[in-house]
Amino acid sequence: MLRYLPLLLVLALWIYAFIDCLNTPEEQVRGLPKVIWVIVILLFGEVLVGPVAWLIAGKVRPAPGTGPTRFVAPDDNPEFLKSLNPDDKGNTGNKEKKDDAG
């Protein structure tokens, strides 16, 4: 069973690189056109040249610290807290219904 592990790892890397290349927008692809990268990954995937080349040189990677902003919990998010304010003009919730029933 252990002799199949390298084959499975190569197959997993091959599939990952292929799907990553397909999902990458054209403007984030470096070096070659996206179609050529797909062909390189498919033709040279078995010897790991294609997938490794894609992961190293094919895609623009964001620099550390420039990625998405940190998640803010709803109780710390000022925009969310403003949406809970009943005096807000944009709130068309239960307040108007209570006034009509009263």
Side-chain angles (χ1 to χ4, degrees):
M1 187 67 176
L2 193 58
R3 64 182 170 191
Y4 297 117
L5 185 62
L7 177 68
L8 291 175
L9 291 176
V10 168
L11 184 64
L13 181 64
W14 196 359
I15 292 171
Y16 174 79
F18 179 68
I19 292 173
D20 187 45
C21 183
L22 290 178
N23 287 333
T24 301
E26 187 73 38
E27 53 272 356
Q28 291 184 1
V29 176
R30 293 189 305 184
L32 300 171
K34 188 174 178 179
V35 175
I36 302 298
W37 273 115
V38 170
I39 293 170
V40 167
I41 291 170
L42 291 177
L43 288 180
F44 301 108
E46 196 169 323
V47 291
L48 289 179
V49 173
V52 171
W54 165 254
L55 294 174
I56 292 174
K59 185 176 178 181
V60 175
R61 306 279 181 204
T66 60
T69 58
R70 206 172 133 233
F71 176 75
V72 178
D75 57 344
D76 292 335
N77 188 343
E79 292 177 15
F80 177 75
L81 294 174
K82 286 179 188 175
S83 72
L84 296 177
N85 188 359
D87 297 330
D88 190 14
K89 298 290 183 190
N91 189 3
T92 58
N94 295 334
K95 184 178 179 183
E96 292 175 2
K97 292 179 184 177
K98 288 181 182 178
D99 290 342
D100 293 340

